[in-house]
């Protein structure tokens, strides 16, 4: 059964995807059927270029991620061990898994007689138009193209 909606949420180091050093911290996807029943979900932190993370975060973003517990999760002993051992996925690796998820649970693309392919997976989320989609365009363009 093909699911037609994929809820997407991104956590980032900045509010602007084009900021120098802006990075994705985490991606989450939830597939739902037409009655909004969860069919599958996947989420993953993403390996960040350590540098002076998390001190380099914009103050507003730092506050948001501190309050949500994400910073503690990403800087905790487990995450640091995973980072040191190469265990956290890179942006490219997380993007590849996300594409597989959308291919498995989103509506399949339509191929027209002209050969043109049109993505049909519908992205759902609170800030997809003003935030998440802009980040995908810059940092995960192939995933962005998988959505209608």
């Amino acid at each position: 059964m093909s699911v037609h909606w994929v809820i997407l949420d991104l956590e980032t180091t900045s509010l602007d995807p084009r900021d120098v050093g802006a990075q994705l911290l985490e991606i989450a996807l939830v597939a739902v059927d037409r009655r909004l029943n969860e069919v599958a979900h996947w989420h993953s932190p993403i390996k960040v270029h350590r540098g002076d993370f998390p001190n380099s975060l914009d103050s507003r973003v730092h506050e948001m991620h501190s309050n949500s517990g994400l910073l503690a999760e990403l800087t905790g002993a487990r995450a640091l061990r995973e980072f040191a051992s190469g265990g956290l996925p890179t942006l490219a690796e997380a993007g590849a898994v996300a594409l597989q998820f959308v291919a498995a649970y989103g509506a399949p693309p339509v191929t027209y007689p002209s050969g043109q392919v049109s993505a049909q997976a519908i992205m759902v989320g609170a800030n997809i138009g003003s935030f998440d989609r802009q980040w995908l365009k810059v940092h995960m363009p192939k995933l962005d193209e998988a959505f209608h």
Side-chain angles (χ1 to χ4, degrees):
M1 177 181 109
S2 178
V3 177
H4 295 273
W5 296 293
V6 177
I7 300 167
L8 174 115
D9 186 43
L10 300 175
E11 300 301 336
T12 66
T13 60
S14 168
L15 297 176
D16 183 350
R18 289 177 172 75
D19 278 352
V20 174
Q23 298 178 67
L24 291 172
L25 295 173
E26 185 175 46
I27 182 171
L29 299 169
V30 178
V32 296
D33 65 18
R34 291 179 182 259
R35 294 189 177 174
L36 302 181
N37 296 306
E38 181 180 319
V39 176
H41 67 272
W42 171 80
H43 86 279
S44 178
I46 296 171
K47 184 183 293 188
V48 296
H49 305 291
R50 295 308 281 187
D52 56 353
F53 173 81
N55 297 323
S56 63
L57 295 177
D58 164 293
S59 62
R60 184 172 171 205
V61 173
H62 193 283
E63 181 180 351
M64 285 188 308
H65 293 331
S66 292
N67 292 341
S68 72
L70 180 60
L71 280 184
E73 180 183 336
L74 291 174
T75 59
R78 180 176 154 256
L80 293 175
R81 278 193 309 276
E82 286 184 23
F83 180 82
S85 68
L88 294 179
T90 64
L91 181 66
E93 291 166 341
V97 174
L99 272 171
Q100 291 173 349
F101 184 95
V102 171
Y105 297 105
V110 173
T111 303
Y112 295 98
S114 66
Q116 180 182 359
V117 178
S118 177
Q120 297 297 306
I122 304 297
M123 183 191 306
V124 180
N127 297 310
I128 59 167
S130 61
F131 188 81
D132 296 294
R133 194 80 192 245
Q134 302 312 311
W135 277 83
L136 289 183
K137 288 179 188 310
V138 173
H139 297 275
M140 291 181 158
K142 287 183 181 177
L143 181 57
D144 179 60
E145 291 170 5
F147 287 101
H148 185 278

